Amino acid sequence: MTTQDKVLIGPRHFQWNAGGWFGSSLGSSSWMLIASCFLVFCKQTALAWVPAFTFAIIVTVSIFLWKRRGRIYPFTAYMVLLGLLAIVIPLVYGIVLLNASDAAMSTMNWSRSISLFVAASGITPILIVWFLFLERSADPNNGLNSTPNHTDEA
């Protein structure tokens, strides 16, 4: 983005921030890349493609949304990203859980526990509800006027 491009300012709590955006997207999906490496190491290359491909999808969507921050509000982008994560985290976790060998599970230090699967699957929906609460509880105008706001990118 050039310095002449505008960044859409959210009307409430959430704002565009490179550290927050890429930190949350990479932080929530990096385990997939690590799991993929472990699966390759344990000679389960076909299964390793599942978390690797999913990681690539999350990073691609994250970059896609970031590049459109002049047209999409930050909260909307976070909800899109979290919605994607709410689907893919249980999917990837479940596929690896059901198909990884005992040796791979041991190497990754994963348990085949259903309760851990449920906990991992529930984290993102809980974050969605929490972020909705944060966004709705903030001042609707964030001290700004109610028209769509843009700022020059710093």
Side-chain angles (χ1 to χ4, degrees), residues 61-75:
V61 168
S62 180
I63 292 168
F64 175 84
L65 292 168
W66 178 258
K67 288 187 174 202
R68 279 146 189 82
R69 64 193 183 282
R71 288 176 252 144
I72 186 170
Y73 281 106
F75 182 72

Side-chain angles (χ1 to χ4, degrees), residues 13 20 23 34 41 45 49 57-58 60-61 67 77 83 106 114-115:
H13 182 75
I34 293 166
F41 176 76
T45 309
W49 278 105
I57 289 171
I58 292 168
T60 302
V61 168
K67 288 187 174 202
S106 177
I114 293 296
S115 60

Side-chain angles (χ1 to χ4, degrees), residues 1 12 22 27-28 32 44 54 63 69 97 100-101 103 113 131 139 154:
M1 229 179 222
R12 294 182 187 243
F22 289 107
S28 61
M32 296 176 197
Q44 291 200 276
T54 308
I63 292 168
R69 64 193 183 282
L97 196 67
S101 68
S113 166
F131 285 178
D139 177 13

